[in-house]
C-alpha cells in the first residue's frame, strides 16, 4: 500500500495532474507524505525476519517459493506485455534481447519498478549463508559491516547511477544486493534476538497510535533518506504494539496474500500502459483507491489463471505416474 502511494505521488509532474487543495509551505501534502513510505526497506526487513524464522524451523520450500514467484512474474509479463503491444507498440515486446533480459529480470526494461526482483531473488538464494553468519558472528559486527556496505553502495548508486550503473547491470546488481543487505540482516537479527518482543506488553497499546503518528510526522519533516532505516524499524516495532480492529487485521491479511502480485502489477497502470487513465480520476484519494482496486483485481485474475495451470500440470503429472505404474 505504501509503494502504490509512493509511485503515484513522488513525482511533482504526476502530482500536477491531480486536483490538490492541501499544501504545506507551497508543497502538496500528498508529495510530502511519500517520505514516510520507504516500501523496499520495509519489505526487505520483514523478509529477513520471516525467512530467518522459516530457516530456523528447517526450510524445505525455499526453491518452491522462488519458482512460484518467478512463474507469477512471467504470467504478469505475458498478460501486460500482450496488452502493451497494442497500447505502446514502440516499447513492447522489443528485441529478443529485451525479452530474455525481462524474463530473467536481469534488466527490467518492460517495467523499471521490477528492478527489485533480481537482487531480492539473490538475497533469498543466499539467505542460508547469511543466516549462518548471523548465528556465528557478533550481532554488532554484522550490523556495523552491513551498514558500511549500505552506505558505500548507496553512495555509488547516487553518484554513478545515471552515468554508468543503470546501463551496466553486471556491476549494478551486486551493488543493489549490497544496498539491501543491511535491512535484510537487521530483520533476521530482530527475529533471532527477539528485538520486537515489546508486543508482549499490552499496556503500551494505548500510546502506540499516537507515537506512530508522531514518528511519521517527524519522518515527513526531513527530505533526506539518511535515517529511513531507523524509521522503518521504529514503525514496525510501534505498529506491533498498536491495537487494531478485527476488520483491519482481516483486510490487511487478505491483501497481504496479493502483495507481491500487486507490487509487480501496479506500475503498469500508473506509469507504463494506463498512466493517463489512472490520473484521469483527478483527486488523490480516488486515484489511489482506483490503483489499489485495479491492482488487486488483476492479482485475483493472475492467481486464478495460475491456479488453473497448476492443476492442469499436476493432473498431467498424475496421469504420467499412473501410466508408469
Amino acid at each position: 500500500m505504501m509503494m502504490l502511494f509512493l509511485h503515484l505521488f513522488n513525482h511533482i509532474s504526476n502530482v500536477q495532474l491531480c486536483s490538490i487543495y492541501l499544501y504545506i509551505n507551497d508543497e502538496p501534502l500528498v508529495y510530502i507524505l511519500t517520505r514516510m513510505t520507504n516500501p523496499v526497506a520495509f519489505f526487505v526487513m520483514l523478509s529477513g525476519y520471516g525467512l530467518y524464522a522459516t530457516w530456523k524451523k528447517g526450510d524445505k520450500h525455499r526453491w518452491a517459493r522462488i519458482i512460484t514467484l518467478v512463474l507469477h512474474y512471467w504470467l504478469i509479463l505475458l498478460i501486460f506485455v500482450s496488452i502493451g503491444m497494442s497500447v505502446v507498440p514502440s516499447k513492447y515486446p522489443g528485441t529478443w534481447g529485451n525479452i530474455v533480459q525481462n524474463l530473467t529480470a536481469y534488466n527490467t526494461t518492460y517495467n523499471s519498478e521490477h528492478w527489485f526482483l533480481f537482487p531480492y531473488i539473490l538475497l533469498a538464494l543466499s539467505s542460508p549463508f547469511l543466516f549462518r553468519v548471523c548465528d556465528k558472528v557478533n550481532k554488532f559486527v554484522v550490523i556495523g559491516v552491513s551498514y558500511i556496505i549500505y552506505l558505500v553502495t548507496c553512495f555509488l548508486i547516487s553518484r554513478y547511477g545515471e552515468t554508468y550503473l543503470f546501463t551496466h547491470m553486471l556491476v549494478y546488481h551486486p551493488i543493489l544486493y549490497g544496498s539491501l543487505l543491511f535491512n535484510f540482516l537487521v530483520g533476521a537479527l530482530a527475529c533471532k534476538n527477539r528485538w520486537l518482543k515489546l508486543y508482549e506488553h499490552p499496556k503500551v497499546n494505548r500510546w502506540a497510535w499516537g507515537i506512530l503518528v508522531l514518528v511519521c510526522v517527524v519522518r515527513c519533516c526531513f527530505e533526506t533518506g539518511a535515517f529511513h532505516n531507523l524509521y522503518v524499524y521504529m514503525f514496525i516495532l510501534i505498529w506491533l504494539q498498536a491495537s487494531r480492529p478485527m476488520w483491519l487485521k482481516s483486510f490487511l491479511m487478505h491483501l497481504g496474500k496479493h502483495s507481491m502480485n500487486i507490487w509487480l502489477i501496479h506500475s503498469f497502470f500508473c506509469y507504463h500502459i494506463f498512466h493517463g487513465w489512472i490520473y484521469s480520476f483527478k483527486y488523490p484519494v480516488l486515484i489511489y483507491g482506483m490503483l489499489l482496486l485495479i491492482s488487486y483485481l488483476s492479482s485475483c485474475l493472475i492467481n486464478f489463471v495460475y491456479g488453473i495451470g497448476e492443476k492442469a500440470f499436476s493432473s498431467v503429472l498424475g496421469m504420467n505416474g499412473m501410466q508408469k505404474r
Side-chain angles (χ1 to χ4, degrees):
M1 293 178 71
M2 287 181 168
M3 169 155 282
L4 269 61
F5 190 88
L6 174 69
H7 284 161
L8 282 171
F9 307 118
N10 67 330
H11 295 297
I12 286 295
S13 59
N14 285 331
V15 174
Q16 289 172 344
L17 300 174
C18 310
S19 297
I20 303 293
Y21 299 101
L22 297 176
Y23 291 81
I24 297 178
N25 293 331
D26 296 326
E27 279 192 302
L29 179 60
V30 289
Y31 179 72
I32 295 173
L33 291 177
T34 60
R35 297 172 191 165
M36 71 177 193
T37 52
N38 308 122
V40 171
F42 274 102
F43 185 85
V44 174
M45 193 175 293
L46 293 171
S47 292
Y49 189 101
L51 289 178
Y52 181 87
T54 304
W55 177 73
K56 292 298 285 187
K57 294 176 182 178
D59 188 2
K60 299 179 180 179
H61 305 289
R62 181 163 59 98
W63 285 101
R65 280 197 305 272
I66 294 172
I67 291 171
T68 300
L69 170 60
V70 171
L71 290 176
H72 276 79
Y73 170 65
W74 285 349
L75 181 57
I76 289 167
L77 283 186
L78 175 63
I79 292 174
F80 283 94
V81 170
S82 298
I83 297 171
M85 289 169 64
S86 299
V87 180
V88 195
S90 61
K91 182 175 182 179
Y92 303 104
T95 66
W96 283 107
N98 295 140
I99 294 172
V100 172
Q101 287 183 336
N102 281 279
L103 285 176
T104 58
Y106 182 73
N107 189 7
T108 54
T109 57
Y110 289 161
N111 189 325
S112 54
E113 285 66 46
H114 291 170
W115 67 267
F116 168 80
L117 190 60
F118 193 89
Y120 174 72
I121 290 174
L122 293 180
L123 271 179
L125 289 174
S126 60
S127 60
F129 167 75
L130 296 173
F131 296 153
R132 283 193 289 269
V133 171
C134 288
D135 279 356
K136 293 179 180 179
V137 179
N138 182 280
K139 55 183 175 290
F140 297 111
V141 173
V142 173
I143 290 175
V145 171
S146 62
Y147 189 66
I148 291 172
I149 294 172
Y150 166 78
L151 292 177
V152 171
T153 52
C154 287
F155 170 78
L156 292 174
I157 293 170
S158 64
R159 179 62 62 91
Y160 302 109
E162 292 284 352
T163 58
Y164 183 80
L165 294 176
F166 296 163
T167 55
H168 294 77
M169 306 309 293
L170 193 62
V171 180
Y172 188 37
H173 281 305
I175 291 175
L176 281 177
Y177 178 91
S179 70
L180 300 176
L181 200 57
F182 173 71
N183 283 309
F184 190 77
L185 292 176
V186 167
L189 290 171
C191 181
K192 178 180 184 291
N193 298 285
R194 301 187 70 206
W195 289 343
L196 300 177
K197 64 181 180 180
L198 282 179
Y199 66 83
E200 296 173 354
H201 302 283
K203 290 184 180 179
V204 180
N205 288 354
R206 71 183 69 175
W207 303 102
W209 281 109
I211 297 172
L212 189 63
V213 170
L214 179 62
V215 168
C216 291
V217 169
V218 171
R219 176 68 186 93
C220 288
C221 290
F222 297 96
E223 293 187 51
T224 177
F227 305 106
H228 79 264
N229 295 312
L230 177 61
Y231 159 73
V232 168
Y233 182 81
M234 290 179 62
F235 187 104
I236 295 171
L237 181 65
I238 299 167
W239 172 265
L240 290 175
Q241 323 316 316
S243 57
R244 297 177 296 279
M246 187 55 64
W247 67 266
L248 179 58
K249 291 182 181 179
S250 300
F251 170 75
L252 294 177
M253 286 293 289
H254 178 73
L255 199 64
K257 296 174 183 177
H258 297 269
S259 59
M260 184 58 79
N261 280 349
I262 292 175
W263 186 307
L264 296 172
I265 288 168
H266 76 280
S267 48
F268 281 115
F269 286 103
C270 66
Y271 286 164
H272 302 290
I273 300 179
F274 301 105
H275 176 271
W277 178 73
I278 284 293
Y279 286 93
S280 69
F281 290 90
K282 288 296 183 182
Y283 301 99
V285 172
L286 293 180
I287 293 171
Y288 178 77
M290 181 52 64
L291 181 61
L292 182 60
L293 176 62
I294 198 66
S295 300
Y296 165 75
L297 293 176
S298 299
S299 175
C300 291
L301 174 63
I302 295 295
N303 286 343
F304 176 73
V305 174
Y306 182 84
I308 292 175
E310 192 174 35
K311 289 179 181 178
F313 184 70
S314 299
S315 178
V316 170
L317 288 180
M319 290 178 63
N320 289 339
M322 290 177 64
Q323 289 173 354
K324 289 179 181 179
R325 288 195 294 273

